[in-house]
Amino acid sequence: MTKNYNTEDLNNRLAEREWMIQTQLVSRDITDEAVIKSMLIVPRHKYVMEDKQAYAYYDTALDIEAGQTISQPYIVALMAQALELKSSDKVMEIGTGSGYSAAILSRMAEYIYTIERLDVLAQIAKRRFQDQGYENIEVYVGDGTLGWAEKAPFDAILVTAGGPLIPDSLIHQLAVGGRLVIPVGDKGVQKLMRVKKTATSELSEENLGTVRFVPLIGTKGWRESIMLEGL
Ligand code: SAH
């Protein structure tokens, strides 16, 4: 199923997105056509603050509101590819942030449930989804380390903040055959892990490489006070 897109948004800075895709994604290891199409469609510059819009298509993460970050385009593509999405998939994302990765996933899958702990970010992301006419995304404000039991099971789960371990609640909410992608490690650097639920009580784990994400804060993540340590 091809998701709709707005022609005006598509044409807006399209050449920069084509350049981003060629020089940052295809030149590395992004081969999933659905990921590439989605990265072409979604106007990344509309997911950053005004003073960062000039850099929206650069090969870098950028600061967003509330001291958080929007991931580097390549990392978003890598995670989306690792989820091995089908167009019929129901996906949960933890860490809505700017809304960009949820928007990318929403052009590839059936429905996206995304959780953000900071209300201010959730409200900004919601407005962006409305502006772009992306109707298959629901945003929930809360602790994503507990997942979203009422909407489970999920075919794919993406966590876009780094935690000390893989929350068991997320494993429970993964469908058989489902894929979970999550950065696991310490506060500065993590391993991007992919967990597949191969049978009801059988998991396979792979390390997809080293990444740097902002902390996953919650019941099954870091304590909030971690933010104050070392100041
Ligand atoms: N996917 C985002 C990345 C944002 S950074 C994007 O494309 O822009 C990670 C986000 O995770 C931050 O906004 C942070 O507030 C949020 N976060 C951290 N711990 C969380 C938790 N337990 N539940 C939900 N969101 C969390």
Side-chain angles (χ1 to χ4, degrees), residues 68-102:
Q68 305 302 315
T69 53
I70 179 174
S71 304
Q72 178 192 7
Y74 170 66
I75 295 295
V76 175
L78 182 70
M79 294 188 300
Q81 179 165 275
L83 289 172
E84 297 177 347
L85 294 177
K86 292 189 294 292
S87 55
S88 56
D89 279 350
K90 184 165 85 171
V91 183
M92 172 165 68
E93 180 195 41
I94 319 296
T96 315
S98 68
Y100 180 67
S101 48

Side-chain angles (χ1 to χ4, degrees), residues 1 3-4 87 89 91 102-114 129 133-139:
M1 187 173 62
K3 297 292 183 310
N4 65 315
S87 55
D89 279 350
V91 183
I104 291 293
L105 300 177
S106 79
R107 304 301 87 195
M108 302 170 60
E110 180 72 27
Y111 206 89
I112 315 300
Y113 295 94
T114 181
F129 303 146
Y134 298 164
E135 289 172 352
N136 59 336
I137 310 173
E138 193 174 333
V139 186

Side-chain angles (χ1 to χ4, degrees), residues 116-128:
E116 172 55 56
R117 61 182 287 269
L118 301 174
D119 186 58
V120 57
L121 293 177
Q123 299 317 322
I124 296 170
K126 264 189 211 171
R127 200 174 326 124
R128 289 172 174 158

Side-chain angles (χ1 to χ4, degrees), residues 34-35 63 90 98 107 114 131 155 200 218-219:
V35 173
D63 292 338
K90 184 165 85 171
S98 68
R107 304 301 87 195
T114 181
D131 288 349
D155 302 300
T200 309
T219 311

